[in-house]
Amino acid sequence: MTPLSIESLAAVVQGVSPAAGTMPGAAQGSGAPGGFAQLLQNQIADLDASVGGAESAMQSLASGRPVELHEVMISLERARLSVQTFVQVRNKLIESYQDLMRMQL
Amino acid sequence: MDYFRAAAISAAGMAAEKARVEAATLNLANAHTSAAPGTPGFQPVTAVIHAEAAPFSRVFQGSLPPASLARASVVSQSGVATRMAFEPGHPDADANGMVAYPAVDSTQEMMTVMTALRAYEANLAALQATKTLAAKALEIGSNS
């Protein structure tokens, strides 16, 4: 697992941010242009941290360091939950984008 | 994520119960360890569980009350009489032919193992419930 894949996601979100900033609703809701993209980036950073934590816990376990098995499993679950949360956010984002694209003008 | 507050508490409980199992295992493993006359020999241990102060940062954020996480420490039992067995041929026998063994009660140790196992399972069930909460919360977003 490389953190690169998540970093590249963050780059994609940075590309999205001008579009999010031009939406009046988004700008009002977050108080600043690009606020939502910032939120998403923070979430990606959180996801990256939890996946990295799970990875290092598994490495510790595999290399025979004295780690608690349940701690490793909890960190794995934490990473899974973070990924699922992020996927849901991504689904919502794509969904709203598609709703906008389908809009008849 | 806030769901992992409950996970941290469960993890502390599980670690504490594991320490109880370890203490009982140590006692059972050394139940027949003899001691030469004049030496202390093996002292039975017990796991003492205290509510330990949570990390200050977590208390400061209000995410955990102070003194909340269960933390076990394995300590030697003091003042436990040794079990004397008459074995004149044993290398550790004293002048009267008695050999000193630690006073480990196998039944009690097995009970400790069983109760610790059940308590571990209870912590695990609580942790699973926390997981289910989070998974169900994520279902709010799905439109299927």
Side-chain angles (χ1 to χ4, degrees), chain B residues 7-26:
Chain B
I9 296 171
S10 293
M14 287 159 88
E17 297 304 332
K18 185 165 158 278
R20 285 181 67 201
V21 174
E22 280 174 358
T25 308
L26 191 59

Side-chain angles (χ1 to χ4, degrees), chain A residues 45-55 75-76 78-80 82-83, chain B residues 1:
Chain A
D46 187 30
L47 171 66
D48 198 18
S50 60
V51 170
E55 189 185 343
S75 67
L76 286 178
R78 183 187 190 123
R80 193 171 72 98
S82 296
V83 169
Chain B
M1 226 175 297

